[in-house]
Amino acid sequence: MKIIIYSTPSCVYCRMAKDFLTDKNIPFTEYDLTKEVAMRNEVIKKTGQMAVPVIEVDGEVMVGFDEARLSQMLGI
Protein backbone atom coordinates (compact mmCIF):
# COMPACT_ATOMS: atom_id res chain seq x y z
CA MET A 1 0.00 0.00 0.00
CA LYS A 2 1.40 3.40 -0.99
CA ILE A 3 0.40 6.35 1.19
CA ILE A 4 1.40 9.94 0.48
CA ILE A 5 0.58 13.01 2.58
CA TYR A 6 1.01 16.46 1.07
CA SER A 7 1.19 18.91 3.96
CA THR A 8 2.51 22.17 5.38
CA PRO A 9 4.26 22.62 8.74
CA SER A 10 1.57 24.91 10.18
CA CYS A 11 -1.41 22.70 9.26
CA VAL A 12 -3.10 21.22 12.34
CA TYR A 13 -5.07 18.67 10.30
CA CYS A 14 -1.87 17.56 8.57
CA ARG A 15 -0.35 16.82 11.98
CA MET A 16 -3.49 14.94 13.02
CA ALA A 17 -3.35 12.79 9.87
CA LYS A 18 0.35 12.01 10.33
CA ASP A 19 -0.18 11.21 14.02
CA PHE A 20 -3.08 8.91 13.12
CA LEU A 21 -0.94 6.94 10.66
CA THR A 22 2.04 6.87 13.01
CA ASP A 23 -0.11 5.63 15.91
CA LYS A 24 -1.36 2.80 13.67
CA ASN A 25 2.23 1.98 12.55
CA ILE A 26 1.31 2.72 8.94
CA PRO A 27 4.26 4.00 6.89
CA PHE A 28 3.75 7.02 4.63
CA THR A 29 5.68 9.44 2.48
CA GLU A 30 5.31 13.11 3.32
CA TYR A 31 5.84 16.09 1.03
CA ASP A 32 6.12 19.57 2.57
CA LEU A 33 4.40 21.82 0.05
CA THR A 34 6.13 24.92 1.43
CA LYS A 35 9.44 23.48 0.18
CA GLU A 36 8.55 21.25 -2.77
CA VAL A 37 7.11 23.30 -5.62
CA ALA A 38 6.83 20.32 -7.98
CA MET A 39 4.69 18.47 -5.44
CA ARG A 40 2.57 21.60 -4.91
CA ASN A 41 1.82 21.65 -8.63
CA GLU A 42 1.02 17.92 -8.53
CA VAL A 43 -1.53 18.49 -5.74
CA ILE A 44 -3.20 21.26 -7.72
CA LYS A 45 -3.40 18.93 -10.75
CA LYS A 46 -4.90 16.09 -8.67
CA THR A 47 -7.40 18.14 -6.66
CA GLY A 48 -7.94 21.39 -8.56
CA GLN A 49 -7.14 23.32 -5.38
CA MET A 50 -4.39 24.24 -2.96
CA ALA A 51 -5.61 22.78 0.32
CA VAL A 52 -3.88 20.54 2.83
CA PRO A 53 -3.64 17.87 3.89
CA VAL A 54 -4.05 15.89 0.72
CA ILE A 55 -3.83 12.20 1.50
CA GLU A 56 -3.37 9.66 -1.26
CA VAL A 57 -3.84 5.93 -0.65
CA ASP A 58 -2.97 3.78 -3.66
CA GLY A 59 -4.12 6.54 -6.01
CA GLU A 60 -7.33 7.41 -4.14
CA VAL A 61 -7.19 11.06 -3.06
CA MET A 62 -8.77 12.72 -0.04
CA VAL A 63 -8.55 16.44 0.70
CA GLY A 64 -8.57 17.18 4.42
CA PHE A 65 -8.47 14.74 7.31
CA ASP A 66 -11.48 12.54 7.98
CA GLU A 67 -10.47 9.70 10.29
CA ALA A 68 -13.41 7.46 9.35
CA ARG A 69 -12.86 7.89 5.62
CA LEU A 70 -9.11 7.42 5.92
CA SER A 71 -9.68 4.22 7.95
CA GLN A 72 -11.98 2.99 5.18
CA MET A 73 -9.41 3.86 2.50
CA LEU A 74 -6.80 1.93 4.50
CA GLY A 75 -9.10 -1.02 5.14
CA ILE A 76 -8.77 -0.79 8.93
Side-chain angles (χ1 to χ4, degrees), residues 8-23:
T8 61
S10 61
C11 170
V12 173
Y13 293 103
C14 299
R15 170 59 45 210
M16 290 170 62
K18 293 183 284 188
D19 287 347
F20 173 80
L21 293 171
T22 300
D23 290 346

Side-chain angles (χ1 to χ4, degrees), residues 4-7 31 33 36-56 61 63:
I4 301 171
I5 296 183
Y6 303 93
S7 66
Y31 293 106
L33 299 185
E36 303 196 44
V37 176
M39 292 296 113
R40 189 180 322 151
N41 293 335
E42 186 174 316
V43 164
I44 293 169
K45 270 188 200 175
K46 288 179 182 187
T47 66
Q49 57 186 329
M50 181 58 203
V52 288
V54 172
I55 304 167
E56 186 174 344
V61 176
V63 179

Side-chain angles (χ1 to χ4, degrees), residues 1 6 9 32 36 39 57 67:
M1 182 176 294
Y6 303 93
D32 179 348
E36 303 196 44
M39 292 296 113
V57 178
E67 187 175 323

